[in-house]
Amino acid sequence: MSEPTTAPAAEKTRALVLNSGSSSLKYQLFDMRTGERLAQGLVERIGEGPVADHAQALEIAAEELAAAGYGLDDPELAVIGHRAVHGGTRFTEPTLIDDEVVAEMAKLATLAPLHNPANITGIEVARALRPDLPQVAVFDTAFHATMPEAAARYAIDTATADRLGIRRYGFHGTSHAYVARATAELLGTPLAETNTVVLHLGNGASATAVRGGRSVDTSMGMTPLEGLAMGTRSGDVDPGVLLHLARTGGMSTDGIDELLNHRSGMLGLAGANDMREITRRAEAGDAAARLALDVYCLRVRKYVGAYMAVLGRVDAVAFTAGVGENSAAVRATSLAELPSLGIEVDPELNAVRSTAPRLISTAASRVKVAVVPTDEELEIARQAYSLARGPAPSPSDIR
Ligand SMILES: Nc1ncnc2c1ncn2[C@@H]1O[C@H](COP(=O)(O)OP(=O)(O)O)[C@@H](O)[C@H]1O
Ligand SMILES: CC(=O)OP(=O)(O)O
Ligand SMILES: [Mg+2]
C-alpha cells in the first residue's frame, strides 16, 4: 500500500464504511460533500472456502475498490466507519477507535460472540492499512441507551445481574434510528413529535418503540437472540426451555447456543431460513412453511400491540430490512384485521414493489403503515464523518 499523498484535512470528503458480519463483509464508499455513493460491495462466505478470514476479505474489498478507481490508499478518504454490534454500557455514542477501545470491545465479545469478533478483525485490519485515518465505531446498541431503566432491566436478582452485565441492550439501533427519522420525513411531521414502531425484519429481526426519535423499548435484549422469531434464531422462549434442554435433553451450553442461534426460527420450523422460500412453500400448501410464517407474523403482531401500549399514541408502524421491505405477505399477515387499533393496510398499496419510502395504509387508517428501506451504511458514514470532520449532509441529500 503506497503512502497517501497529503491533502489538506478540510478537503477530504470521502467516508468508507465497513460492516463486518460473522460471515460477510459489506463496504460502501460515500462522498459526504456531494452525497454520492461512489462504490459498494459484499464479500460473502468468509471462512468457508477461498476467503479464509476477514483480513483476506478486506484485501478483496480493497482490490474491488481499486478496480472501481478508489484504492484504500485514496488520499481523499477522510474517515473509516465501522459497524460495531455490542457496545455494552460503555459505548453509547459513535467512538473514535484506539487500542483501548478495541480492548474494551474484545471484552464485550462474550455478550455478542457471533458479531463482535468479526467487527474487531475488520477494525484491526483497517487500522493496520490506514493508521493515518480516524476510524470510528458506530454501535448497534447505542441508540437504545436512552431506554428507561424499567425496559432495560430483567426481573432477576440485581447483584447477579450487575456483576455479569446482564441487562437489555438492544440491537440494530443504527437502522432503527435511521428508519424512525425517515418515517417522520415521510409523514411530514417533526421527529421530536413522531411516535413510531419500527420493525427491522432482516436475517436478525427486532422491533423498537421510538418516541420522538428516542428508543424507549426494543425486542432484542442482552444478546441479539431475544424477541422476534428470525431466520435461524428462536427469539423469545420460556427460559425454562433452556433448563429442560440441559437437564432432560442432556445438552451442553454450546449445544443449546447452537440450537437457539443457528437451528431455530424459520430454519428450525420449516427447514429454510430464507423468507422467500418459506413464503413460496406456504403459498404452495406446505404445512410446515405455513406454520413457520404464522409463528413469525404472530410474534411481529404481538410486539406491535405491546409497543402501541408502551407508546400510548402511535403515528406509524414502519417495516424495514430484507423481509420488511420486500415481503407483502409478512406485512399483510402481521397487521391483518386490526381496525380496533386504528391500523388498516391497503392491499393494493402493500403489493406495490418499490425501493422508495412509502405508505401502505388506507386513507382512513389512524396509524400510518410505512415501508422505509433502511441504510445502515449511510447512517454509519454520517455519524463517523461528523465525529471526525464536522457536520455531514442530511440523509435525504444522499442517493
Ligand atoms: N422478496 C423477498 N421476500 C421475502 N423475503 C425477502 C425478500 N428479499 C429478501 N428477503 C429476506 O431478507 C433477508 C435478509 O435481510 P437483510 O436485511 O438483507 O439481512 P442482513 O442485513 O441481516 O443480512 C433474507 O434472509 C430473505 O429472507
Ligand atoms: C445484531 C444482529 O442481529 O445483527 P444481524 O441482523 O446483522 O445478524
Ligand atoms: Mg442487517
Side-chain angles (χ1 to χ4, degrees):
M1 197 71 38
S2 63
E3 274 301 300
T5 56
T6 45
E11 289 179 11
K12 299 181 184 186
T13 57
R14 290 181 186 157
L16 176 66
V17 174
L18 300 179
N19 180 345
S20 308
S22 49
S23 67
S24 70
L25 171 72
K26 293 183 201 163
Y27 64 89
Q28 289 196 24
L29 179 68
F30 299 90
D31 186 316
M32 303 308 288
R33 183 172 37 87
T34 63
E36 207 182 335
R37 203 181 297 264
L38 301 169
Q40 58 184 312
L42 164 70
V43 184
E44 287 183 287
R45 285 187 276 281
I46 298 172
E48 282 178 33
V51 191
D53 53 26
H54 282 80
Q56 208 179 335
L58 196 53
E59 263 175 48
I60 294 170
E63 282 164 23
E64 291 177 2
L65 278 166
Y70 311 100
L72 254 186
D73 55 353
D74 183 352
E76 292 303 308
L77 208 51
V79 62
I80 300 180
H82 297 267
R83 179 187 180 204
V85 170
H86 214 308
T89 49
R90 160 80 194 271
F91 301 112
T92 59
E93 299 285 345
T95 302
L96 212 49
I97 298 169
D98 59 17
D99 291 342
E100 195 266 334
V101 168
V102 175
E104 239 357 82
M105 284 180 67
K107 282 189 208 158
L108 290 164
T110 54
L111 297 177
L114 295 181
H115 293 93
N116 272 35
N119 302 159
I120 291 168
T121 312
I123 287 170
E124 286 184 328
V125 175
R127 287 180 79 211
L129 290 172
R130 288 303 299 267
D132 59 313
L133 281 185
Q135 307 218 9
V136 175
V138 177
F139 293 88
D140 258 44
T141 47
F143 179 58
H144 303 296
T146 56
M147 283 199 298
E149 194 60 14
R153 280 278 168 184
Y154 291 108
I156 64 172
D157 171 66
T158 301
T160 306
D162 288 350
R163 183 166 56 84
L164 293 171
I166 298 171
R167 59 187 280 116
R168 310 189 63 256
Y169 298 92
F171 297 88
H172 297 135
T174 308
S175 174
H176 287 295
Y178 176 90
V179 170
R181 195 171 55 223
T183 302
E185 275 180 28
L186 180 68
L187 266 51
T189 52
L191 179 61
E193 290 163 26
T194 308
N195 293 352
T196 304
V197 177
V198 180
L199 300 166
H200 175 108
L201 311 179
N203 265 321
S206 65
T208 297
V210 183
R211 175 180 288 132
R214 291 161 74 89
S215 168
V216 294
D217 204 350
T218 194
S219 62
M220 282 180 168
M222 183 183 85
T223 76
L225 185 51
E226 191 179 344
L228 302 176
M230 313 180 205
T232 66
R233 293 174 235 169
S234 61
D236 295 334
V237 293
D238 174 355
V241 171
L242 279 70
L243 306 178
H244 186 68
L245 288 167
R247 287 203 189 106
T248 311
M251 287 178 71
S252 66
T253 313
D254 285 349
I256 295 172
D257 185 336
E258 215 271 323
L259 174 72
L260 298 180
N261 272 305
H262 299 293
R263 285 193 290 125
S264 295
M266 299 301 97
L267 183 67
L269 287 167
N273 66 339
D274 193 310
M275 195 51 93
R276 281 165 288 208
E277 183 177 341
I278 297 286
T279 312
R280 191 164 32 75
R281 280 173 38 200
E283 279 162 7
D286 178 318
R290 180 78 254 166
L291 178 62
L293 196 57
D294 286 347
V295 168
Y296 189 98
C297 293
L298 177 60
R299 195 75 63 83
V300 171
R301 186 181 182 86
K302 288 204 250 189
Y303 272 95
V304 170
Y307 289 168
M308 288 182 78
V310 165
L311 289 167
R313 190 205 80 230
V314 174
D315 301 299
V317 174
F319 286 91
T320 196
V323 177
E325 290 167 29
N326 295 298
S327 177
V330 165
R331 295 191 300 256
T333 311
S334 301
L335 300 184
E337 305 192 26
L338 288 176
S340 60
L341 293 185
I343 298 179
E344 224 179 334
V345 173
D346 181 317
E348 279 176 25
L349 293 178
N350 187 33
V352 172
R353 297 198 64 82
S354 163
T355 54
R358 59 201 184 273
L359 291 178
I360 59 165
S361 43
T362 63
S365 188
R366 183 164 44 76
V367 176
K368 302 298 169 211
V369 182
V371 179
V372 178
T374 193
D375 199 334
E376 287 164 294
E377 281 77 17
L378 172 58
E379 182 69 19
I380 291 167
R382 290 185 64 254
Q383 295 189 18
Y385 190 85
S386 39
L387 181 68
R389 301 274 156 175
S394 94
S396 50
D397 298 336
I398 296 183
R399 294 285 165 251

